[in-house]
Amino acid sequence: MPTLSGVHHIALTVTDVERSIPWYERVLGFTVVGKQEEDPLGIIKAFLRGPGEGFAVTLVQHPFAAGSLFDEKRPGLDHVSFAVPDEDCLREWTERLTEHGVTFSPITEEHSAPGTSVVSLRDPDGIQIVLWAQKP
């Protein structure tokens, strides 16, 4: 069986790349490493690298995405989950989210994975993001 060595990046469809970039930079600490201006199909992209180990996210704006709302109950993406080192770091994230006025869930144990703690939040398009810490 061929090997999969990890996730290279996640591409998220957003309604407005220029609105989403500052949120991902300010709230989650991502850095823009490249942009693709509107191509012949009307698609715009921004390539971001995350803090720490540098997880990559691509924000994609399709010409007809405006007015659409994210819904994890439809086929496709349910949520994106970012690992954090431990519960202390998760508490630091809740402080950061509070500073930036982001609504989020309290730190709770993930029911489907005993021994983990999570915080859930949503980006400007309503995409659910989960910060996930494994308990020692």
Side-chain angles (χ1 to χ4, degrees), residues 28-108:
L28 297 180
F30 279 80
T31 302
V32 175
V33 295
K35 281 187 170 180
Q36 172 191 297
E37 297 304 321
E38 190 170 329
D39 71 7
L41 298 175
I43 297 171
I44 301 168
K45 295 181 181 180
F47 308 99
L48 293 84
R49 176 90 38 216
E53 295 182 26
F55 187 84
V57 169
T58 301
L59 302 176
V60 183
Q61 179 181 327
H62 295 274
F64 302 108
S68 300
L69 295 176
F70 174 78
D71 184 351
E72 63 266 12
K73 294 176 227 62
R74 290 186 289 188
L77 179 73
D78 185 88
H79 67 276
V80 175
S81 187
F82 296 114
V84 302
D86 53 38
E87 205 166 296
D88 287 340
C89 186
L90 205 52
R91 279 189 282 283
E92 291 174 25
W93 272 106
T94 63
E95 292 169 11
R96 180 179 180 89
L97 296 172
T98 300
E99 287 173 23
H100 291 287
V102 175
T103 302
F104 58 92
S105 71
I107 296 173
T108 58

